[in-house]
Structure formats: C-alpha cells, structure tokens
Amino acid sequence: MSLDRAARERLVRALAASMIEHAEELTSLDQAIGDGDHGLNMKRGFEAVLATLPGLADKSLPEMLKAIGMTLVMKVGGASGPLVGTFFMELGKALPEQPARADLVAATDKAINAVKTRGRSEAGQKTLLDVLVPVQAVFAGGGDARAIAAEAAQAADRTTPMLATRGRASFLGERSIGHMDPGSRSASLLISAAVAALEFEAIS
Amino acid sequence: MSNSSSGNVGIVIVSHSSKIAEGAADMVRQMVGNAVPLAWTGGDTDGGLGTNVAGILEAIEAAWSPAGVAILVDLGGAETNSEMAVEMLAEDRRARVVVCNAPVVEGAVIAATESSGGSSLAAVKRSAEEFYA
C-alpha cells in the first residue's frame, strides 16, 4: 500500500470529520454511562490534529500516525486521549513506510495490544477493545472494507447489553447494561472513516 | 501550582477539577508547610472538567525532587493520563515517579506527611495506599 500525500490528507480529514460530525451523539452516549465529555474530547483532539495540516500530511505514513497519536494524547484528555493516542502512536511505530497488508495487520495487532496494556483491559469489559479486537479478527482474516466497517458497527452495537467492568461506566454496575459504550462507538466511527478514505480494497 | 526546593519526595495532585486539586494542595500545605515539593493540576486543556497530559507533565516538573515524585489521582482518566505522562518523561526520571492507588485528598495529605519526614518514594506510596487497605 502506498499512500501518497493526497491520500494521507484525505485520511486525516475523514477521521476528523467523523469525530466532529458525531460529537453530540458520542457525548449523549457518554452522558448515559460516563461523564458526558467523550464527544467534546474527541472533537477537540481531532480539531487539534486538523490544525497540524498541511504539514502533518507531508510526513511519511508512520511519522504522521505517531504525530496524530501525540496530538490526541495531549489534547483529548479523559481516558480516551491516552487510549486512542496510544493506538495511533504504536501503529506509527510498527508500520514500515510502504506497508503491505500483512504489515498493516501486524501493526494494528501491536497497537491493540498497546491499548490493552495502557488500559489494563481486555475485550469483554465494554470498552473500545470490544470493537478493536473483533474488527482485527476480520481484518486479519482477509476481510474487505465493507466487512471491516460492518463488523465495526456490529461490534459497537454488541456493547449495548454488556456489563461494564472497566472505565467510568463500571461505577454504574448493572446500570451500564442497555447503553452502547461511547468509546466503542467512536472507535467504530474512526475505523469506518479510515477504510472508506483508504479505498481499502486497493490494499493488497 | 506551588513549589518548594527540598530533598523530600515531591507530591503531585491530579484531579478532574482544578478546584479539587488546588483545595487538596491547600490542605497539604497546611499540614506540612513547605517541607515537600508540591504541585497540582486539574481540568482539560479548555479549562473544563478533565485531566490532561501536558498539565501533568508540568506539575511533575514543578514538584520534581531527586527523591522522586508521588502522584495522587482521582478518577480513571486522571490515572491513565498520569501513567501516560510518566512514560513520556526522560528515562532517568521515569523510574522515580509513581502513581498511587489512593484517594486523592486523603492520599495526598498522608503521602506529604510521610514525605516531610524524609521517607523514600516507596514508603510514601505505601503510606498513601494503606488508606485503601
């Protein structure tokens, strides 16, 4: 996969647009079971990322991803800043400049493990890992853009009946059941935006 | 944020609310005076409720002591952001900063009291965490 400058910028703009457009939805999900700032936090973070364009897209793909991660860590706040920021930073560290699909699979695997370590969490606790882990399985299994985006949306939906045992929602115990996890929703939106922007079928 | 120069373990207070962080720091100051390097941070980068890594890094710098720094945090994001901040420190400092698993106000007061007697970083952390034991 070779992402030229235009494609890198398109990716950044698509990720940011997905968070900015869905900020209110994410915040309202977070008001149900968290502290009600997830949408605002993610929007602030990705607006800060946008502000680093056009220079951001001049960087190589790995350097660009690391820079996005660092901006998110510094600007998003909440627990999401370090978690989502770590994903991008580790993805950047693990990717070669012109990754083949296998490189991308290996790199996303490392990035997801870094998120697990950062959050001291595993899938099944009603967090963004409940999207990242199943989507990674589809990706590693050869799934195309449509399959990846579909799994991301379904995985976020599957967090609704889950009991939160990690993160702020875990304070609510059984009252966390019946609400979609906001971090899973934002992860799902970012994944869908990324695969759409990358014209993922072209990756081989 | 406030500071003091001493060889005692530094204390950093991280809350989602700058008012809580500042208030807890006031309580620490009243207990231990200026015997302990102390700094606090609270709020997100827009001044709302939350925590942010840049603020935590500044606070660690302000409370830096060769004996190390103990961080007291309130809720989840404060802990995650503090751990992230610690990892972003220079390598020689990283091992000398710990995040305590303790209530932020009581933990800060107890940690500072322990530090003011010249205790090690490990002892300061242990005292703060005994509150939960």
Side-chain angles (χ1 to χ4, degrees):
Chain A
M1 177 177 71
S2 171
L3 280 188
D4 63 16
R5 194 195 171 287
R8 292 195 295 272
E9 178 161 347
R10 195 164 66 238
L11 173 62
V12 171
R13 291 195 183 281
L15 294 172
S18 76
M19 290 298 97
I20 292 166
E21 283 164 18
H22 292 271
E24 281 184 26
E25 178 201 339
L26 292 170
T27 287
S28 97
L29 288 174
D30 198 31
Q31 276 163 349
I33 57 171
D35 52 2
D37 60 3
H38 187 55
L40 270 178
N41 284 349
M42 295 298 280
K43 178 168 177 273
R44 177 177 50 236
F46 275 94
E47 282 173 346
V49 169
L50 280 181
T52 61
L53 285 171
L56 179 64
D58 292 336
K59 297 176 189 286
S60 68
L61 180 63
E63 291 305 317
M64 182 182 91
L65 291 167
K66 282 192 258 180
I68 291 171
M70 183 56 75
T71 301
L72 295 177
V73 163
M74 300 308 282
K75 297 290 183 184
V76 172
S80 308
L83 293 171
V84 181
T86 292
F87 180 86
F88 280 93
M89 284 164 68
E90 296 299 319
L91 192 58
K93 280 187 208 164
L95 273 183
E97 286 201 10
Q98 305 220 328
R101 182 177 173 122
D103 298 320
L104 204 48
V105 170
T108 48
D109 204 50
K110 280 188 187 163
I112 291 167
N113 281 326
V115 173
K116 289 181 182 175
T117 304
R118 167 82 45 221
R120 290 194 293 277
S121 183
E122 292 288 336
Q125 297 188 295
K126 196 165 179 138
T127 72
L128 76 167
L129 287 168
D130 291 304
V131 166
L132 296 181
V133 170
V135 168
Q136 174 69 4
V138 171
F139 182 35
D144 62 8
R146 187 178 301 177
I148 288 168
E151 179 60 24
Q154 287 161 16
D157 282 339
R158 289 197 300 267
T159 66
T160 301
M162 290 174 73
L163 173 72
T165 54
R166 190 82 180 102
R168 189 74 62 86
S170 65
F171 293 7
L172 295 176
E174 294 198 347
R175 281 184 290 145
S176 66
I177 294 172
H179 302 276
M180 188 190 294
D181 170 51
S184 293
R185 176 64 176 151
S186 57
S188 160
L189 288 166
L190 288 170
I191 290 164
S192 298
V195 293
L198 289 174
E199 294 162 5
F200 217 63
E201 282 84 350
I203 297 173
S204 58
Chain B
M1 232 177 262
S2 47
N3 200 0
S4 151
S5 57
S6 84
N8 291 333
V9 170
I11 306 294
V12 165
I13 297 167
V14 182
S15 170
H16 281 61
S17 156
S18 61
K19 289 179 186 170
I20 287 178
E22 184 176 16
D26 288 343
M27 290 174 68
V28 168
R29 275 279 168 258
Q30 192 177 53
M31 294 288 291
V32 302
N34 289 318
V36 172
L38 172 70
W40 57 269
T41 177
D44 63 29
T45 51
D46 291 341
L49 294 176
T51 57
N52 75 88
V53 171
I56 296 167
L57 285 169
E58 280 174 29
I60 292 170
E61 183 64 36
W64 183 256
S65 156
V69 169
I71 305 178
L72 282 299
V73 300
D74 59 5
L75 299 167
E79 182 182 28
T80 317
N81 273 315
S82 295
E83 288 170 354
M84 189 86 219
V86 171
E87 277 182 38
M88 289 166 71
L89 294 172
E91 204 167 339
D92 60 322
R93 289 195 165 191
R94 213 174 296 155
R96 285 188 278 167
V97 182
V98 296
V99 180
C100 302
N101 180 23
V104 66
V105 176
E106 294 87 339
V109 169
I110 291 166
T113 307
E114 184 75 42
S115 166
S116 68
S119 295
S120 68
L121 180 61
V124 168
K125 182 172 191 276
R126 194 164 52 242
S127 288
E129 293 185 348
E130 274 171 7
F131 209 87
Y132 268 171

